[in-house]
Structure formats: C-alpha cells, structure tokens
Amino acid sequence: MKVFWLVVSGICIVAAGVLIWLGDVVSAFVVAVVGILAWFLNYRIQMKEVADAADLEDEGRYKDDSDDDV
C-alpha cells in the first residue's frame, strides 16, 4: 500500500505540472493538493509500521523483564 500512495502522489504532482503549463491553475492546485495528501498517507503508513515495530520490541523487552522477577 505504501508504493500505491507514492505512485499516486507522483502522478498527481506531474499532472499538476502539466496543468500549470497548460494554464489551468485552479485544477493544478486541486491535483497538487491531492498529490500532497497521497504523500502524507504514504508517510503515515510508514510511521505506523515503525511505531508498531517499536511497540513489539518494547513488549518483548517487558516480557523478558517480568520472567526474571519470578
């Protein structure tokens, strides 16, 4: 899913550039905003994976600590 949002973002930014070149500034702005939103969704997915991995690491660390106390 990360790659999908990255591709959508790239396509939107290129399309916005073409629209600016054609002189349709309003449509270019809308398409650029959609591209930026797609990039943020990509970034959000990446950060969620990093946070989940950190949570699993912390969970494993706490399980190891609790076994020592018994």
Side-chain angles (χ1 to χ4, degrees):
M1 191 58 114
K2 293 185 299 187
V3 175
F4 172 75
W5 288 118
L6 196 58
V7 169
V8 169
S9 175
I11 290 170
C12 287
I13 296 303
V14 169
V18 169
L19 287 169
I20 286 175
W21 184 55
L22 294 174
D24 192 1
V25 179
V26 174
S27 296
F29 176 77
V30 172
V31 172
V33 168
V34 171
I36 291 169
L37 289 174
W39 180 81
F40 275 117
L41 286 173
N42 175 48
Y43 187 74
R44 180 181 176 266
I45 291 170
Q46 288 179 358
M47 289 301 105
K48 189 171 184 179
E49 289 177 358
V50 168
D52 289 344
D55 287 343
L56 287 175
E57 184 179 317
D58 287 343
E59 184 178 301
R61 189 175 300 152
Y62 290 133
K63 282 184 181 178
D64 291 342
D65 290 343
S66 64
D67 289 343
D68 293 340
D69 293 339
V70 175

